[in-house]
Amino acid sequence: MTGLTQAQITSFNENGFLFPLRAFSTEEAADLRKRLEEAEAGAEPGTERSARQGLPITHAWAWDLVHDSRIVEPISAVLGPDVLLWSMDWFIKEPGPGFVSFHQDATYWGLEPHHVASAWVALSEAGPETGPMRFVRGSHKGPLFEQDDTYGDHNLLSRGQVVKTDVNESKTVLAPLAAGEMSLHHVRVIHGSEPNLTVDRRIGMVLRYCATDVRQTKARGDRAILVKGTDTYRHFEMIPRPRADLGEEERHLARQHGRTRHKALMED
Ligand SMILES: O=C(O)CCC(=O)C(=O)O
């Protein structure tokens, strides 16, 4: 895939999201799912989450994956020519009551300015019954709301963040995806998702990208990967391509980075 058409860019700018875009074939999505599930199975019990998030630091295939032009080119079409990967997150919703409350990412990530967008890539079927993402159309153009930390039992967000505003349901748009498809969303858009009513896990691999002028305002020493263009700002330390999968240096860096990121995300 190359970039986006002008109509798609306009739609992203107007709505704050864009979908569906085909990133991978169904077979490629299944292969990525297998790699993810192998990494989960190999992690110490209780560390699956950090093992998943650290993949571009610990595994060369994941470092290469975040450079894939089928994701980077559409992202670059909305962010500009110089692009960093800031984070690889995973939103895995097992069958059951898990949900994601309506929130805005920009409120707690510490990234400024808001030249930041996520590519949410479905590695399993993410049809309407699986609790796909739901966006509030145009909300990225409105205010950044305060959020309550609810720490709700089944909330998949780290603090159960909920925007302190009434969400107008009629302005929400459900974004179902087939395996291998992706949606893009702006860092300020209000979004959430409902429980997964199917029998399979709903797997979202979420790649967070930003323009190189963005800086981390909540922690020192945050890291990123340059995936396109040049970085003249150097606001982030660069994550090198892993030399050995799960090598000692790679695991050390992943642990260090996990602590930096925890500080950035959990402190106000
Ligand atoms: O996967 C979900 O349901 C929510 C994902 C999300 O909040 C995000 O990618 O920013």
Side-chain angles (χ1 to χ4, degrees):
M1 180 188 280
T2 51
L4 299 174
T5 63
Q6 190 50 52
Q8 287 173 315
I9 297 171
T10 304
S11 171
F12 178 85
N13 289 336
E14 282 303 304
N15 295 321
F17 57 86
L18 182 69
F19 75 95
L21 300 170
R22 170 67 54 190
F24 300 113
S25 66
T26 313
E27 293 73 29
E28 286 173 305
D31 182 56
L32 288 171
R33 175 178 182 159
K34 198 162 147 260
R35 286 171 185 257
L36 160 75
E37 291 180 339
E38 277 167 7
E40 287 177 318
E44 296 281 319
T47 65
E48 293 85 355
R49 193 182 175 125
S50 53
R52 288 193 294 252
Q53 282 186 325
L55 280 170
I57 305 180
T58 56
H59 289 73
W61 67 261
W63 196 91
D64 293 341
L65 176 66
V66 305
H67 290 75
D68 194 304
S69 61
R70 292 169 291 181
I71 303 173
V72 171
E73 289 304 318
I75 281 283
S76 172
V78 298
L79 290 182
D82 302 317
V83 183
L84 298 167
L85 175 97
W86 175 68
S87 193
M88 173 188 261
D89 294 340
W90 296 88
F91 271 86
I92 300 184
K93 202 184 278 173
E94 306 292 346
F99 72 101
V100 174
S101 48
F102 279 121
H103 65 286
Q104 288 169 300
D105 299 329
T107 312
Y108 65 106
W109 285 358
L111 300 180
E112 304 278 350
H114 294 153
H115 301 153
V116 186
S118 296
W120 195 108
V121 187
L123 297 192
S124 62
E125 289 301 314
E129 297 291 296
T130 65
M133 294 257 276
R134 186 181 282 284
F135 299 108
V136 181
R137 193 191 288 281
S139 51
H140 64 306
K141 295 186 189 169
L144 209 51
F145 294 99
E146 279 182 39
Q147 301 192 146
D148 271 334
D149 289 346
T150 64
Y151 293 98
D153 274 351
H154 300 296
N155 199 323
L156 300 190
L157 296 178
S158 50
R159 298 190 256 160
Q161 300 91 317
V162 185
V163 276
K164 285 200 204 176
T165 182
D166 288 333
V167 168
N168 181 345
E169 287 290 327
S170 70
K171 284 199 168 174
T172 67
V173 179
L174 197 65
L177 297 172
E181 288 182 339
M182 67 177 177
S183 58
L184 307 184
H185 68 273
H186 190 279
V187 70
R188 293 176 70 100
V189 79
I190 299 177
H191 59 287
S193 65
E194 287 131 45
N196 176 2
L197 306 178
T198 72
V199 293
D200 190 18
R201 37 186 357 209
R202 187 221 63 172
I203 305 176
M205 174 181 76
V206 197
L207 304 180
R208 322 286 196 182
Y209 294 94
C210 62
T212 49
D213 63 341
V214 170
R215 62 169 75 237
Q216 173 57 266
T217 61
K218 289 174 68 188
R220 284 179 197 277
D222 203 355
R223 296 174 182 79
I225 299 173
L226 183 66
V227 296
K228 184 172 175 180
T230 46
D231 178 8
T232 52
Y233 294 91
R234 299 188 171 270
H235 290 158
F236 292 86
E237 289 177 24
M238 286 299 116
I239 295 170
R241 186 172 190 273
R243 286 192 297 190
D245 283 356
L246 279 178
E248 200 164 317
E249 268 176 45
E250 285 75 10
R251 281 184 292 128
H252 176 70
L253 184 61
R255 278 195 299 273
Q256 244 184 358
H257 182 58
R259 287 193 288 272
T260 310
R261 213 31 93 68
H262 187 265
K263 187 168 159 54
L265 295 180
M266 299 307 275
E267 285 182 12
D268 287 322

